[in-house]
Amino acid sequence: MGKDKIKEKYDAVIVGSGANGISAAIYLQQKGLKTLILEKNSEPGGATRSGQLTLPGFVHDIGSAVLPMSYSSPFFKTLPLEKYGLEWIFPEIAFAQTLEDAEAVGCYQDISKTAATLGKDKEAYEDLMNPLVSNWTKIDEDILSPFGIPSQPLQFLKFGIKAILPAKTLINHYFKEDKAKSLFYGAAAHSTLPLTNLASSSFGLVLSIMAHINGWPFPKHGASAIIKSLLAYYKDLGGTLYCNYTVKDAKDIPNSKIQLMDLTPRQLLKIEGLNLSNTYRKRLSKFTYGSGVFKIDWALNDPIPFNSDICRRAGTVHIGYGSEEIEHSEALSAKGEIAKNPYILLVQPSIFDSSRAPEGKHTAWAYCHVPNGSTFDCTEIIEDQIEKAAPGFKKSILKRATMNTRELEIFNPNLVGGDINGGKQDITQLFTRPVAKISPYKTSIDNIYLCSSSTPPGGGVHGMAGFNAAKQAFQDHF
Ligand SMILES: Cc1cc2nc3c(=O)[nH]c(=O)nc-3n(C[C@H](O)[C@H](O)[C@H](O)COP(=O)(O)OP(=O)(O)OC[C@H]3O[C@@H](n4cnc5c(N)ncnc54)[C@H](O)[C@@H]3O)c2cc1C
């Protein structure tokens, strides 16, 4: 489809159909505008797509898999997604963490139940989590919005002081034993930052709070079910989506009052003929990308034979044997090296959702962090790490599909060098992404906005960047 074939006139055009692009389009369509989404790929959803990667009947999540941020998203909560087919699955244990002695600990929704398994750190865990969880609903919208004056300054400050710390400082301040330290590190390492870096606690805190508030759910039939429900609602509102439509030049974008880009700075800079100012171009080109990921999907003959019952009952399993090993793994990938014993995120959705594999068989999804742009094949080191917690795992593999950082970027150009968060989420780019600006969504062109995970609040399937950008654009132009 070319621009010349698009005869209709639109108020707003959105480039990219990731969760953020669709959210921006829904918000504007709800406001009565006529909107169009243009997507490069043949399938919508960006990094949230599910499909067959290994064998017939096995449904894999090609990108994101576990969606607590979707379930808790203040914008998604306002949408009737269940009416459009979305069903949630809540594993009993949000996430498990393997330990040095082949045992594991789990994060349950109940704080006391989690704390009770943490030995000497029982009280410290409760002291850390109880106030944060009770206050979360007062500050979640502030945290998921561009940096500004919070509506609840005191509660925000109480969270912010802890979130800004390196995860290492936080665990050493609160905990005495490695069980609690490892459990927190497993969640904090989602940041893709070295755990000694400022703000690496923020991911650990937000993800643990979400586990205690709602668990870590995922959609039945695969992560793409959220995209399907968002798009079904969008189309009912009268919105239009064209796939197989790559925007390479400003001329490819049909004339419209506003344009929102679900792109990272690097793609925006590549679009020919965009009249971005030189100063803005220079600032965008300084935006940095974080570590990448190496991902594996397996079709399995049996459930993963974890030694620990806790790992068998958890939706997500963080694999790493001791806090030191996890810390080392994350430090190495950021430094440009591959850890021999990497920290791994693993999900086995078919345990909870029989639609994901033929009867009696299973699908599993895992990745580890690697240097940005790495083409190193991590299959062996990932499978060896899992085998330690689940002897016999390798024997049950029927087929695997792997993606290194280059292959991820081919799958979706927003995954620059395999970075799944749309850019590094360190202290300099956590709130002020992609550049420090009162409204980070505005570009130097009056009617063009960025709305991807490269804008606040960053990575994850929550749609909040799209929602925030669309709100700003609507306020500015209508
Ligand atoms: C392997 C992996 C695992 C992940 N796991 C999780 C998880 O479990 N939970 C979670 O919450 N998050 C997870 N994430 C992160 C999450 O998927 C992303 O943060 C989120 O999808 C970002 O959404 P977005 O709308 O900003 O961009 P994207 O989803 O990247 O969408 C951008 C879209 O723009 C399109 N596009 C790009 N250039 C053009 C162009 N020139 N013209 C037209 N279209 C274009 C792309 O094709 C793509 O469809 C994971 C990501 C990956 C890759």
Side-chain angles (χ1 to χ4, degrees), residues 171-205:
I171 59 163
N172 287 334
H173 176 74
Y174 276 91
F175 306 131
K176 295 186 185 76
E177 296 185 338
D178 212 54
K179 278 183 187 173
K181 289 182 180 181
S182 295
L183 185 70
F184 188 78
Y185 257 9
H190 282 245
S191 64
T192 329
L193 293 174
L195 297 162
T196 46
N197 272 28
L198 278 175
S200 50
S201 279
S202 61
F203 274 71
L205 289 173

PDB file of all heavy atoms in Angstrom, residues 171-205:
ATOM      1  N   ILE A 171      19.492  -3.830  48.611  1.00  0.00           N
ATOM      2  CA  ILE A 171      19.445  -5.177  49.234  1.00  0.00           C
ATOM      3  C   ILE A 171      20.377  -5.253  50.444  1.00  0.00           C
ATOM      4  O   ILE A 171      20.050  -5.894  51.435  1.00  0.00           O
ATOM      5  CB  ILE A 171      19.747  -6.342  48.246  1.00  0.00           C
ATOM      6  CG1 ILE A 171      21.131  -6.221  47.607  1.00  0.00           C
ATOM      7  CG2 ILE A 171      18.657  -6.487  47.198  1.00  0.00           C
ATOM      8  CD1 ILE A 171      21.622  -7.519  46.977  1.00  0.00           C
ATOM      9  N   ASN A 172      21.514  -4.576  50.357  1.00  0.00           N
ATOM     10  CA  ASN A 172      22.436  -4.661  51.495  1.00  0.00           C
ATOM     11  C   ASN A 172      21.931  -3.863  52.692  1.00  0.00           C
ATOM     12  O   ASN A 172      22.227  -4.178  53.837  1.00  0.00           O
ATOM     13  CB  ASN A 172      23.842  -4.219  51.099  1.00  0.00           C
ATOM     14  CG  ASN A 172      24.497  -5.277  50.232  1.00  0.00           C
ATOM     15  OD1 ASN A 172      24.133  -6.455  50.330  1.00  0.00           O
ATOM     16  ND2 ASN A 172      25.414  -4.892  49.374  1.00  0.00           N
ATOM     17  N   HIS A 173      21.154  -2.831  52.421  1.00  0.00           N
ATOM     18  CA  HIS A 173      20.578  -2.041  53.511  1.00  0.00           C
ATOM     19  C   HIS A 173      19.463  -2.840  54.202  1.00  0.00           C
ATOM     20  O   HIS A 173      19.376  -2.851  55.424  1.00  0.00           O
ATOM     21  CB  HIS A 173      20.027  -0.729  52.958  1.00  0.00           C
ATOM     22  CG  HIS A 173      19.331   0.094  53.995  1.00  0.00           C
ATOM     23  ND1 HIS A 173      20.024   0.782  54.972  1.00  0.00           N
ATOM     24  CD2 HIS A 173      18.016   0.303  54.238  1.00  0.00           C
ATOM     25  CE1 HIS A 173      19.152   1.390  55.760  1.00  0.00           C
ATOM     26  NE2 HIS A 173      17.928   1.112  55.338  1.00  0.00           N
ATOM     27  N   TYR A 174      18.622  -3.510  53.418  1.00  0.00           N
ATOM     28  CA  TYR A 174      17.458  -4.164  54.009  1.00  0.00           C
ATOM     29  C   TYR A 174      17.704  -5.602  54.463  1.00  0.00           C
ATOM     30  O   TYR A 174      17.143  -6.044  55.458  1.00  0.00           O
ATOM     31  CB  TYR A 174      16.275  -4.157  53.017  1.00  0.00           C
ATOM     32  CG  TYR A 174      15.497  -2.858  53.078  1.00  0.00           C
ATOM     33  CD1 TYR A 174      15.825  -1.797  52.255  1.00  0.00           C
ATOM     34  CD2 TYR A 174      14.456  -2.689  53.997  1.00  0.00           C
ATOM     35  CE1 TYR A 174      15.136  -0.594  52.333  1.00  0.00           C
ATOM     36  CE2 TYR A 174      13.757  -1.497  54.083  1.00  0.00           C
ATOM     37  CZ  TYR A 174      14.098  -0.444  53.248  1.00  0.00           C
ATOM     38  OH  TYR A 174      13.421   0.736  53.328  1.00  0.00           O
ATOM     39  N   PHE A 175      18.482  -6.357  53.653  1.00  0.00           N
ATOM     40  CA  PHE A 175      18.486  -7.810  53.865  1.00  0.00           C
ATOM     41  C   PHE A 175      19.816  -8.355  54.372  1.00  0.00           C
ATOM     42  O   PHE A 175      20.885  -7.836  54.046  1.00  0.00           O
ATOM     43  CB  PHE A 175      18.102  -8.522  52.553  1.00  0.00           C
ATOM     44  CG  PHE A 175      16.796  -8.039  51.971  1.00  0.00           C
ATOM     45  CD1 PHE A 175      16.701  -7.688  50.621  1.00  0.00           C
ATOM     46  CD2 PHE A 175      15.656  -7.927  52.769  1.00  0.00           C
ATOM     47  CE1 PHE A 175      15.498  -7.233  50.087  1.00  0.00           C
ATOM     48  CE2 PHE A 175      14.451  -7.470  52.243  1.00  0.00           C
ATOM     49  CZ  PHE A 175      14.377  -7.119  50.888  1.00  0.00           C
ATOM     50  N   LYS A 176      19.705  -9.475  55.141  1.00  0.00           N
ATOM     51  CA  LYS A 176      20.908 -10.126  55.682  1.00  0.00           C
ATOM     52  C   LYS A 176      21.252 -11.376  54.873  1.00  0.00           C
ATOM     53  O   LYS A 176      22.403 -11.737  54.743  1.00  0.00           O
ATOM     54  CB  LYS A 176      20.643 -10.556  57.128  1.00  0.00           C
ATOM     55  CG  LYS A 176      20.400  -9.417  58.089  1.00  0.00           C
ATOM     56  CD  LYS A 176      20.305  -9.972  59.524  1.00  0.00           C
ATOM     57  CE  LYS A 176      19.945  -8.898  60.510  1.00  0.00           C
ATOM     58  NZ  LYS A 176      18.527  -8.506  60.481  1.00  0.00           N
ATOM     59  N   GLU A 177      20.204 -12.064  54.354  1.00  0.00           N
ATOM     60  CA  GLU A 177      20.450 -13.373  53.728  1.00  0.00           C
ATOM     61  C   GLU A 177      20.293 -13.311  52.208  1.00  0.00           C
ATOM     62  O   GLU A 177      19.601 -12.431  51.683  1.00  0.00           O
ATOM     63  CB  GLU A 177      19.475 -14.401  54.315  1.00  0.00           C
ATOM     64  CG  GLU A 177      19.704 -14.619  55.794  1.00  0.00           C
ATOM     65  CD  GLU A 177      18.831 -15.729  56.379  1.00  0.00           C
ATOM     66  OE1 GLU A 177      17.773 -16.062  55.801  1.00  0.00           O
ATOM     67  OE2 GLU A 177      19.204 -16.255  57.433  1.00  0.00           O
ATOM     68  N   ASP A 178      20.892 -14.309  51.565  1.00  0.00           N
ATOM     69  CA  ASP A 178      20.896 -14.268  50.108  1.00  0.00           C
ATOM     70  C   ASP A 178      19.532 -14.586  49.473  1.00  0.00           C
ATOM     71  O   ASP A 178      19.303 -14.242  48.318  1.00  0.00           O
ATOM     72  CB  ASP A 178      21.981 -15.198  49.541  1.00  0.00           C
ATOM     73  CG  ASP A 178      22.522 -14.622  48.242  1.00  0.00           C
ATOM     74  OD1 ASP A 178      22.953 -13.444  48.243  1.00  0.00           O
ATOM     75  OD2 ASP A 178      22.443 -15.313  47.212  1.00  0.00           O
ATOM     76  N   LYS A 179      18.630 -15.230  50.230  1.00  0.00           N
ATOM     77  CA  LYS A 179      17.308 -15.547  49.659  1.00  0.00           C
ATOM     78  C   LYS A 179      16.595 -14.260  49.240  1.00  0.00           C
ATOM     79  O   LYS A 179      16.159 -14.108  48.109  1.00  0.00           O
ATOM     80  CB  LYS A 179      16.425 -16.217  50.723  1.00  0.00           C
ATOM     81  CG  LYS A 179      16.640 -17.682  50.905  1.00  0.00           C
ATOM     82  CD  LYS A 179      15.623 -18.165  51.928  1.00  0.00           C
ATOM     83  CE  LYS A 179      15.903 -19.608  52.285  1.00  0.00           C
ATOM     84  NZ  LYS A 179      15.062 -20.072  53.366  1.00  0.00           N
ATOM     85  N   ALA A 180      16.470 -13.323  50.213  1.00  0.00           N
ATOM     86  CA  ALA A 180      15.759 -12.073  49.926  1.00  0.00           C
ATOM     87  C   ALA A 180      16.546 -11.227  48.922  1.00  0.00           C
ATOM     88  O   ALA A 180      15.959 -10.593  48.034  1.00  0.00           O
ATOM     89  CB  ALA A 180      15.532 -11.292  51.215  1.00  0.00           C
ATOM     90  N   LYS A 181      17.879 -11.253  49.060  1.00  0.00           N
ATOM     91  CA  LYS A 181      18.701 -10.456  48.143  1.00  0.00           C
ATOM     92  C   LYS A 181      18.502 -10.945  46.704  1.00  0.00           C
ATOM     93  O   LYS A 181      18.309 -10.161  45.775  1.00  0.00           O
ATOM     94  CB  LYS A 181      20.185 -10.569  48.523  1.00  0.00           C
ATOM     95  CG  LYS A 181      20.536  -9.851  49.817  1.00  0.00           C
ATOM     96  CD  LYS A 181      22.024  -9.943  50.121  1.00  0.00           C
ATOM     97  CE  LYS A 181      22.332  -9.219  51.431  1.00  0.00           C
ATOM     98  NZ  LYS A 181      23.736  -9.239  51.795  1.00  0.00           N
ATOM     99  N   SER A 182      18.530 -12.262  46.514  1.00  0.00           N
ATOM    100  CA  SER A 182      18.389 -12.820  45.168  1.00  0.00           C
ATOM    101  C   SER A 182      16.982 -12.563  44.621  1.00  0.00           C
ATOM    102  O   SER A 182      16.809 -12.266  43.437  1.00  0.00           O
ATOM    103  CB  SER A 182      18.626 -14.327  45.165  1.00  0.00           C
ATOM    104  OG  SER A 182      19.939 -14.597  45.519  1.00  0.00           O
ATOM    105  N   LEU A 183      15.986 -12.713  45.491  1.00  0.00           N
ATOM    106  CA  LEU A 183      14.595 -12.499  45.036  1.00  0.00           C
ATOM    107  C   LEU A 183      14.442 -11.085  44.477  1.00  0.00           C
ATOM    108  O   LEU A 183      13.880 -10.870  43.407  1.00  0.00           O
ATOM    109  CB  LEU A 183      13.622 -12.726  46.196  1.00  0.00           C
ATOM    110  CG  LEU A 183      12.140 -12.661  45.834  1.00  0.00           C
ATOM    111  CD1 LEU A 183      11.724 -13.859  44.977  1.00  0.00           C
ATOM    112  CD2 LEU A 183      11.247 -12.609  47.079  1.00  0.00           C
ATOM    113  N   PHE A 184      14.985 -10.101  45.220  1.00  0.00           N
ATOM    114  CA  PHE A 184      14.862  -8.712  44.763  1.00  0.00           C
ATOM    115  C   PHE A 184      15.697  -8.485  43.504  1.00  0.00           C
ATOM    116  O   PHE A 184      15.258  -7.822  42.557  1.00  0.00           O
ATOM    117  CB  PHE A 184      15.267  -7.724  45.869  1.00  0.00           C
ATOM    118  CG  PHE A 184      14.968  -6.299  45.481  1.00  0.00           C
ATOM    119  CD1 PHE A 184      13.673  -5.812  45.553  1.00  0.00           C
ATOM    120  CD2 PHE A 184      15.964  -5.468  44.989  1.00  0.00           C
ATOM    121  CE1 PHE A 184      13.375  -4.510  45.145  1.00  0.00           C
ATOM    122  CE2 PHE A 184      15.680  -4.169  44.579  1.00  0.00           C
ATOM    123  CZ  PHE A 184      14.383  -3.688  44.665  1.00  0.00           C
ATOM    124  N   TYR A 185      16.901  -9.041  43.479  1.00  0.00           N
ATOM    125  CA  TYR A 185      17.764  -8.873  42.299  1.00  0.00           C
ATOM    126  C   TYR A 185      17.094  -9.421  41.030  1.00  0.00           C
ATOM    127  O   TYR A 185      17.229  -8.852  39.947  1.00  0.00           O
ATOM    128  CB  TYR A 185      19.084  -9.617  42.530  1.00  0.00           C
ATOM    129  CG  TYR A 185      20.260  -8.729  42.896  1.00  0.00           C
ATOM    130  CD1 TYR A 185      20.095  -7.375  43.188  1.00  0.00           C
ATOM    131  CD2 TYR A 185      21.544  -9.259  42.955  1.00  0.00           C
ATOM    132  CE1 TYR A 185      21.194  -6.582  43.518  1.00  0.00           C
ATOM    133  CE2 TYR A 185      22.647  -8.464  43.286  1.00  0.00           C
ATOM    134  CZ  TYR A 185      22.456  -7.129  43.563  1.00  0.00           C
ATOM    135  OH  TYR A 185      23.536  -6.347  43.877  1.00  0.00           O
ATOM    136  N   GLY A 186      16.392 -10.551  41.179  1.00  0.00           N
ATOM    137  CA  GLY A 186      15.727 -11.155  40.010  1.00  0.00           C
ATOM    138  C   GLY A 186      14.757 -10.186  39.363  1.00  0.00           C
ATOM    139  O   GLY A 186      14.664 -10.098  38.130  1.00  0.00           O
ATOM    140  N   ALA A 187      14.039  -9.419  40.189  1.00  0.00           N
ATOM    141  CA  ALA A 187      13.084  -8.441  39.643  1.00  0.00           C
ATOM    142  C   ALA A 187      13.825  -7.193  39.152  1.00  0.00           C
ATOM    143  O   ALA A 187      13.519  -6.648  38.084  1.00  0.00           O
ATOM    144  CB  ALA A 187      12.053  -8.070  40.710  1.00  0.00           C
ATOM    145  N   ALA A 188      14.850  -6.773  39.914  1.00  0.00           N
ATOM    146  CA  ALA A 188      15.576  -5.544  39.542  1.00  0.00           C
ATOM    147  C   ALA A 188      16.346  -5.712  38.236  1.00  0.00           C
ATOM    148  O   ALA A 188      16.526  -4.752  37.474  1.00  0.00           O
ATOM    149  CB  ALA A 188      16.532  -5.155  40.673  1.00  0.00           C
ATOM    150  N   ALA A 189      16.775  -6.936  37.944  1.00  0.00           N
ATOM    151  CA  ALA A 189      17.585  -7.166  36.734  1.00  0.00           C
ATOM    152  C   ALA A 189      16.774  -6.998  35.450  1.00  0.00           C
ATOM    153  O   ALA A 189      17.352  -6.927  34.365  1.00  0.00           O
ATOM    154  CB  ALA A 189      18.228  -8.543  36.801  1.00  0.00           C
ATOM    155  N   HIS A 190      15.437  -6.899  35.557  1.00  0.00           N
ATOM    156  CA  HIS A 190      14.633  -6.570  34.360  1.00  0.00           C
ATOM    157  C   HIS A 190      15.053  -5.213  33.790  1.00  0.00           C
ATOM    158  O   HIS A 190      14.761  -4.904  32.648  1.00  0.00           O
ATOM    159  CB  HIS A 190      13.139  -6.516  34.713  1.00  0.00           C
ATOM    160  CG  HIS A 190      12.490  -7.854  34.849  1.00  0.00           C
ATOM    161  ND1 HIS A 190      11.501  -8.298  34.004  1.00  0.00           N
ATOM    162  CD2 HIS A 190      12.684  -8.859  35.739  1.00  0.00           C
ATOM    163  CE1 HIS A 190      11.111  -9.506  34.371  1.00  0.00           C
ATOM    164  NE2 HIS A 190      11.812  -9.869  35.420  1.00  0.00           N
ATOM    165  N   SER A 191      15.696  -4.401  34.620  1.00  0.00           N
ATOM    166  CA  SER A 191      16.111  -3.064  34.175  1.00  0.00           C
ATOM    167  C   SER A 191      17.168  -3.128  33.080  1.00  0.00           C
ATOM    168  O   SER A 191      17.389  -2.161  32.370  1.00  0.00           O
ATOM    169  CB  SER A 191      16.702  -2.277  35.351  1.00  0.00           C
ATOM    170  OG  SER A 191      17.883  -2.919  35.799  1.00  0.00           O
ATOM    171  N   THR A 192      17.830  -4.282  32.946  1.00  0.00           N
ATOM    172  CA  THR A 192      18.954  -4.454  32.013  1.00  0.00           C
ATOM    173  C   THR A 192      20.140  -3.573  32.419  1.00  0.00           C
ATOM    174  O   THR A 192      21.047  -3.362  31.631  1.00  0.00           O
ATOM    175  CB  THR A 192      18.546  -4.129  30.541  1.00  0.00           C
ATOM    176  OG1 THR A 192      17.190  -4.458  30.351  1.00  0.00           O
ATOM    177  CG2 THR A 192      19.344  -4.915  29.537  1.00  0.00           C
ATOM    178  N   LEU A 193      20.123  -3.051  33.630  1.00  0.00           N
ATOM    179  CA  LEU A 193      21.226  -2.192  34.092  1.00  0.00           C
ATOM    180  C   LEU A 193      22.132  -3.004  35.015  1.00  0.00           C
ATOM    181  O   LEU A 193      21.658  -3.947  35.673  1.00  0.00           O
ATOM    182  CB  LEU A 193      20.679  -1.024  34.928  1.00  0.00           C
ATOM    183  CG  LEU A 193      19.832   0.027  34.253  1.00  0.00           C
ATOM    184  CD1 LEU A 193      19.275   0.994  35.309  1.00  0.00           C
ATOM    185  CD2 LEU A 193      20.637   0.789  33.207  1.00  0.00           C
ATOM    186  N   PRO A 194      23.407  -2.630  35.139  1.00  0.00           N
ATOM    187  CA  PRO A 194      24.200  -3.225  36.211  1.00  0.00           C
ATOM    188  C   PRO A 194      23.503  -2.919  37.542  1.00  0.00           C
ATOM    189  O   PRO A 194      22.989  -1.803  37.730  1.00  0.00           O
ATOM    190  CB  PRO A 194      25.541  -2.489  36.109  1.00  0.00           C
ATOM    191  CG  PRO A 194      25.588  -1.944  34.729  1.00  0.00           C
ATOM    192  CD  PRO A 194      24.166  -1.658  34.342  1.00  0.00           C
ATOM    193  N   LEU A 195      23.474  -3.895  38.443  1.00  0.00           N
ATOM    194  CA  LEU A 195      22.699  -3.715  39.676  1.00  0.00           C
ATOM    195  C   LEU A 195      23.400  -2.800  40.677  1.00  0.00           C
ATOM    196  O   LEU A 195      22.865  -2.491  41.736  1.00  0.00           O
ATOM    197  CB  LEU A 195      22.375  -5.085  40.271  1.00  0.00           C
ATOM    198  CG  LEU A 195      21.495  -5.890  39.290  1.00  0.00           C
ATOM    199  CD1 LEU A 195      21.514  -7.366  39.602  1.00  0.00           C
ATOM    200  CD2 LEU A 195      20.072  -5.345  39.260  1.00  0.00           C
ATOM    201  N   THR A 196      24.570  -2.332  40.283  1.00  0.00           N
ATOM    202  CA  THR A 196      25.288  -1.352  41.096  1.00  0.00           C
ATOM    203  C   THR A 196      24.994   0.071  40.597  1.00  0.00           C
ATOM    204  O   THR A 196      25.504   1.040  41.167  1.00  0.00           O
ATOM    205  CB  THR A 196      26.802  -1.610  40.980  1.00  0.00           C
ATOM    206  OG1 THR A 196      27.099  -1.799  39.591  1.00  0.00           O
ATOM    207  CG2 THR A 196      27.227  -2.846  41.747  1.00  0.00           C
ATOM    208  N   ASN A 197      24.196   0.175  39.535  1.00  0.00           N
ATOM    209  CA  ASN A 197      23.892   1.503  38.972  1.00  0.00           C
ATOM    210  C   ASN A 197      22.743   2.182  39.710  1.00  0.00           C
ATOM    211  O   ASN A 197      21.784   1.508  40.112  1.00  0.00           O
ATOM    212  CB  ASN A 197      23.455   1.365  37.512  1.00  0.00           C
ATOM    213  CG  ASN A 197      24.625   1.394  36.562  1.00  0.00           C
ATOM    214  OD1 ASN A 197      25.721   1.005  36.931  1.00  0.00           O
ATOM    215  ND2 ASN A 197      24.382   1.844  35.355  1.00  0.00           N
ATOM    216  N   LEU A 198      22.815   3.497  39.788  1.00  0.00           N
ATOM    217  CA  LEU A 198      21.701   4.270  40.339  1.00  0.00           C
ATOM    218  C   LEU A 198      20.426   3.911  39.582  1.00  0.00           C
ATOM    219  O   LEU A 198      20.469   3.643  38.377  1.00  0.00           O
ATOM    220  CB  LEU A 198      21.958   5.766  40.135  1.00  0.00           C
ATOM    221  CG  LEU A 198      22.867   6.451  41.150  1.00  0.00           C
ATOM    222  CD1 LEU A 198      23.122   7.891  40.721  1.00  0.00           C
ATOM    223  CD2 LEU A 198      22.262   6.410  42.558  1.00  0.00           C
ATOM    224  N   ALA A 199      19.307   3.877  40.277  1.00  0.00           N
ATOM    225  CA  ALA A 199      17.970   3.637  39.716  1.00  0.00           C
ATOM    226  C   ALA A 199      17.701   2.192  39.320  1.00  0.00           C
ATOM    227  O   ALA A 199      16.597   1.881  38.881  1.00  0.00           O
ATOM    228  CB  ALA A 199      17.680   4.561  38.531  1.00  0.00           C
ATOM    229  N   SER A 200      18.677   1.287  39.519  1.00  0.00           N
ATOM    230  CA  SER A 200      18.372  -0.111  39.177  1.00  0.00           C
ATOM    231  C   SER A 200      17.366  -0.708  40.165  1.00  0.00           C
ATOM    232  O   SER A 200      16.703  -1.698  39.856  1.00  0.00           O
ATOM    233  CB  SER A 200      19.638  -0.973  39.095  1.00  0.00           C
ATOM    234  OG  SER A 200      20.434  -0.812  40.246  1.00  0.00           O
ATOM    235  N   SER A 201      17.188  -0.079  41.322  1.00  0.00           N
ATOM    236  CA  SER A 201      16.153  -0.530  42.266  1.00  0.00           C
ATOM    237  C   SER A 201      14.750  -0.288  41.741  1.00  0.00           C
ATOM    238  O   SER A 201      13.813  -0.972  42.144  1.00  0.00           O
ATOM    239  CB  SER A 201      16.249   0.260  43.568  1.00  0.00           C
ATOM    240  OG  SER A 201      17.238  -0.264  44.357  1.00  0.00           O
ATOM    241  N   SER A 202      14.596   0.724  40.873  1.00  0.00           N
ATOM    242  CA  SER A 202      13.244   1.131  40.476  1.00  0.00           C
ATOM    243  C   SER A 202      12.465  -0.028  39.861  1.00  0.00           C
ATOM    244  O   SER A 202      11.309  -0.254  40.205  1.00  0.00           O
ATOM    245  CB  SER A 202      13.296   2.329  39.524  1.00  0.00           C
ATOM    246  OG  SER A 202      14.000   1.963  38.358  1.00  0.00           O
ATOM    247  N   PHE A 203      13.108  -0.798  38.975  1.00  0.00           N
ATOM    248  CA  PHE A 203      12.409  -1.933  38.347  1.00  0.00           C
ATOM    249  C   PHE A 203      12.052  -2.990  39.387  1.00  0.00           C
ATOM    250  O   PHE A 203      10.962  -3.548  39.373  1.00  0.00           O
ATOM    251  CB  PHE A 203      13.299  -2.577  37.270  1.00  0.00           C
ATOM    252  CG  PHE A 203      13.194  -1.912  35.928  1.00  0.00           C
ATOM    253  CD1 PHE A 203      13.734  -0.658  35.724  1.00  0.00           C
ATOM    254  CD2 PHE A 203      12.561  -2.543  34.879  1.00  0.00           C
ATOM    255  CE1 PHE A 203      13.637  -0.047  34.488  1.00  0.00           C
ATOM    256  CE2 PHE A 203      12.459  -1.939  33.630  1.00  0.00           C
ATOM    257  CZ  PHE A 203      13.008  -0.691  33.432  1.00  0.00           C
ATOM    258  N   GLY A 204      13.008  -3.267  40.298  1.00  0.00           N
ATOM    259  CA  GLY A 204      12.757  -4.287  41.317  1.00  0.00           C
ATOM    260  C   GLY A 204      11.573  -3.892  42.186  1.00  0.00           C
ATOM    261  O   GLY A 204      10.716  -4.719  42.506  1.00  0.00           O
ATOM    262  N   LEU A 205      11.510  -2.608  42.534  1.00  0.00           N
ATOM    263  CA  LEU A 205      10.411  -2.159  43.398  1.00  0.00           C
ATOM    264  C   LEU A 205       9.083  -2.185  42.658  1.00  0.00           C
ATOM    265  O   LEU A 205       8.103  -2.754  43.134  1.00  0.00           O
ATOM    266  CB  LEU A 205      10.698  -0.743  43.915  1.00  0.00           C
ATOM    267  CG  LEU A 205      11.821  -0.648  44.948  1.00  0.00           C
ATOM    268  CD1 LEU A 205      12.137   0.807  45.273  1.00  0.00           C
ATOM    269  CD2 LEU A 205      11.458  -1.399  46.234  1.00  0.00           C
TER     270      LEU A 205
END
